[in-house]
Amino acid sequence: MSTGFRLLEFLPCLKSWLTLPPLGYNCKTALVCTWEGKKRGQSGRNQRETFIFLFVFDCLVVPGKKKVWNWVSYLEEERMPAAPLKLFREYQSFPQGRNGFKAGMKLEGLDPEHPSQFCVLTVAEVQGYRMRLHFDGYPECYDFWVNADSSDIHPVGWCEKTSHKLLPPKGFKEGEFSWTSYLKNCKAQAAPKSLFKTLSTPVTPSGFRLGMKLEAVDKKNPSLMCVATITDMVDNRLLVHFDNWDESYDYWCEASSPYIRPVGYCQETGTPLTTPPGYKDSKAFSWERYLEETNSQAAPARAFKLRPAHGFQVNMKLEAVDRRNPILIRVATIVDKDDHRIKIHFDGWDRHYDFWVDADSPDVHPVGWCAKTGHALQVPLGKVDDLILLPVGQACPTPGCHGIGHVRGPRYGTHYTLVGCPYSEVNLSRENLLQDRLSGERPSPSSSMPKAKRPETPAPFLLGAGESSQEDSSQSR
Ligand SMILES: [Zn+2]
């Protein structure tokens, strides 16, 4: 899609903003100035406008100035390759269709913070092939972003059909909720079934069954290999739950995941196995006895189809969701890798914003994904005229931050201060400030089962050859 077409589309909203730039300011700066004047209301609508606005901002050709940023010249300039398309999973790559979801549509979906819970959700905002989902009845700070083809979302009625428990909107008692009357009362539309991803291949029997035991990596503390149970199965994915831990550690994975191994793997490889907290005889743990005590079966070894390491290489470029500010997708470089993860660096940003992500994460996309799906792309810092010409005090002080997003979620579309900035020093060290949505608890490092972060040293078998984990495998977390 050409820039010209995009501009035409946005012309009506632009027209009202555009004023003549003062002498010496270029046309982009003029736009930013009018936007600054406009955005003070901080309503959701303004947030959207901001976004559209920055899209236009990034696309504008400034006469006599730098030309439009584009991937082709950038890769040439940087002398680095784009990550080849074949390295991406189907859902990371260019989608076949377009995103048909519209703001206001209702659906059912997984809570990323409580992956065992299916919840009542509303599409709050759509950007290209992505959308922001809102938990009905809860504050916007818990909203999260997914791709339109996410496996985590389902049409209204899916839970009932598949015998899954649906967590109703806040304020409803269990058993009180009915979609039919809820949609009527809200005057809302259920997202049409046709918009949801359907599996391209039929689900084949995997050998995994509900309740089977296995050994699995705690993804929040990747140095730990723990006793786990399969507590749910949907299509070709398994829900891994850690015995005697709360559900916030659960995750969904495929049979090919490097994070799951059959019972006995740790013993065979000399990897320490973390036994369930509170288990009476953790020093002399025996699977045989544990399976008997819990009246359960081990998942058969043949069901595990460990996939080969990914093919991504250091210095390859791609487009990645900014985890600190997930409305944004940025130009990124792979700066490190192990067998199943890559370390993302946002071009032009300080290295302390770098983070590790699974190579098969749905938030990682090939070069050109944003352009193809109609999503704004945040170009490398310093590659467009930044907001340096803005009057002092009107822009966020963090270098490179356009003031989009807010550390407290999408209720505030923009910020001007370090306190609200997702990138500021003060907020960088605070991983998760939110109370737990369901229990209302704040994450506390001193509680018996904190969600405190341990160093992200993966279990030894996740590292490439020649590397070793320095991390001990203590039983406490
Ligand atoms: Zn900022």
Side-chain angles (χ1 to χ4, degrees):
M1 200 177 290
S2 76
T3 302
F5 178 84
R6 282 275 160 195
L7 278 174
L8 270 181
E9 206 176 305
F10 297 135
L11 217 54
C13 69
L14 268 178
K15 229 163 74 183
S16 60
W17 296 358
L18 204 53
T19 50
L20 274 177
L23 219 63
Y25 280 49
N26 65 35
C27 147
K28 278 189 212 172
T29 319
L31 280 169
V32 173
C33 287
T34 41
W35 162 59
E36 283 289 333
K38 182 98 180 163
K39 74 180 179 180
R40 294 210 180 92
Q42 292 197 342
S43 72
R45 186 158 174 267
N46 272 338
Q47 182 195 345
R48 254 189 311 283
E49 285 172 353
T50 306
F51 205 70
I52 291 168
F53 174 79
L54 279 172
F55 183 86
V56 176
F57 173 69
D58 285 344
C59 288
L60 269 181
V61 184
V62 183
K65 277 272 192 172
K66 286 179 211 169
K67 62 180 192 313
V68 176
W69 186 93
N70 71 73
W71 265 115
V72 178
S73 350
Y74 183 63
L75 290 171
E76 259 170 37
E77 208 177 283
E78 293 275 294
R79 293 169 189 275
M80 286 186 191
L85 209 52
K86 62 173 188 216
L87 302 183
F88 292 87
R89 302 286 298 264
E90 191 187 332
Y91 55 80
Q92 297 174 309
S93 199
F94 305 111
Q96 301 293 322
R98 48 184 293 278
N99 182 356
F101 288 95
K102 302 265 180 294
M105 287 178 172
K106 303 225 179 260
L107 58 140
E108 301 176 0
L110 287 174
D111 176 354
E113 296 300 319
H114 304 90
S116 59
Q117 309 274 9
F118 292 91
C119 306
V120 171
L121 300 167
T122 304
V123 178
E125 182 179 358
V126 174
Q127 292 290 345
Y129 202 60
R130 301 173 72 225
M131 54 189 171
R132 173 162 63 88
L133 298 178
H134 175 75
F135 293 98
D136 283 28
Y138 290 89
E140 283 167 312
C141 55
Y142 299 106
D143 290 8
F144 62 100
W145 287 82
V146 295
N147 295 327
D149 61 356
S150 168
S151 309
D152 296 343
I153 53 170
H154 301 283
V156 159
W158 181 88
C159 280
E160 197 180 353
K161 209 170 119 194
T162 58
S163 310
H164 282 86
K165 193 178 142 195
L166 176 68
L167 216 66
K170 196 172 187 174
F172 282 82
K173 290 207 180 75
E174 225 177 300
E176 246 180 17
F177 177 80
S178 130
W179 266 117
T180 319
S181 50
Y182 185 64
L183 288 171
K184 215 166 120 192
N185 290 342
C186 300
K187 296 191 172 63
Q189 189 200 352
K193 279 195 180 72
S194 60
L195 302 183
F196 293 84
K197 177 191 186 175
T198 42
L199 283 183
S200 48
T201 48
V203 181
T204 46
S206 64
F208 289 108
R209 298 278 175 276
L210 287 185
M212 281 180 167
K213 302 280 181 199
L214 66 161
E215 299 178 2
V217 173
D218 170 9
K219 285 170 87 168
K220 292 190 176 176
N221 307 285
S223 61
L224 302 183
M225 191 77 178
C226 312
V227 170
T229 306
I230 295 165
T231 49
D232 199 356
M233 290 168 67
V234 174
D235 297 335
N236 50 5
R237 298 199 301 165
L238 318 163
L239 181 65
V240 173
H241 172 74
F242 294 96
D243 291 24
N244 292 2
W245 294 3
D246 76 59
E247 291 171 340
S248 64
Y249 295 94
D250 290 9
Y251 57 84
W252 288 88
C253 68
E254 295 170 6
S256 65
S257 169
Y259 296 113
I260 54 170
R261 299 296 168 107
V263 157
Y265 170 85
C266 281
Q267 195 178 14
E268 241 167 69
T269 55
T271 312
L273 176 69
T274 304
T275 54
Y279 186 69
K280 50 184 188 209
D281 201 2
S282 60
K283 285 267 174 339
F285 179 83
S286 133
W287 264 114
E288 203 181 337
R289 198 170 62 227
Y290 186 69
L291 290 173
E292 213 177 281
E293 284 165 0
T294 53
N295 193 23
S296 50
Q297 273 184 304
R302 65 183 156 78
F304 295 80
K305 317 265 190 226
L306 180 63
R307 61 172 165 258
H310 64 75
F312 290 106
Q313 301 297 329
V314 167
N315 286 339
M316 284 178 174
K317 301 269 183 199
L318 37 75
E319 299 179 2
V321 172
D322 185 345
R323 169 140 97 180
R324 309 198 67 79
N325 202 0
I327 188 175
L328 303 179
I329 295 187
R330 297 188 182 281
V331 167
T333 306
I334 299 170
V335 288
D336 199 357
K337 58 160 193 157
D338 59 32
D339 280 358
H340 300 286
R341 302 184 307 165
I342 50 178
K343 193 175 191 182
I344 297 288
H345 170 76
F346 292 126
D347 290 24
W349 287 78
D350 194 283
R351 292 198 75 147
H352 65 253
Y353 297 107
D354 294 1
F355 59 92
W356 284 95
V357 65
D358 283 337
D360 64 345
S361 160
D363 287 342
V364 169
H365 301 290
V367 159
W369 192 85
C370 280
K372 211 153 193 167
T373 57
H375 199 290
L377 175 67
Q378 306 301 310
V379 305
L381 274 195
K383 293 291 169 184
V384 289
D385 301 330
D386 284 319
L387 308 187
I388 39 171
L389 291 178
L390 279 174
V392 178
Q394 287 211 352
C396 172
T398 305
C401 180
H402 288 301
I404 304 172
H406 196 284
V407 74
R408 292 177 63 186
R411 185 167 162 207
Y412 311 95
T414 53
H415 63 272
Y416 311 96
T417 61
L418 292 176
V419 178
C421 180
Y423 307 100
S424 65
E425 198 79 49
V426 54
N427 290 327
L428 261 185
S429 49
R430 292 193 278 180
E431 229 8 79
N432 189 0
L433 305 162
L434 289 180
Q435 292 180 354
D436 184 88
R437 184 176 66 89
L438 299 175
S439 72
E441 278 169 27
R442 276 185 189 281
S444 145
S446 58
S447 74
S448 60
M449 296 232 287
K451 287 173 196 167
K453 276 180 72 73
R454 293 169 61 94
E456 286 198 26
T457 312
F461 67 90
L462 289 173
L463 294 168
E467 293 175 85
S468 71
S469 166
Q470 299 295 308
E471 189 60 24
D472 72 321
S473 58
S474 79
Q475 306 251 336
S476 64
R477 43 173 91 220

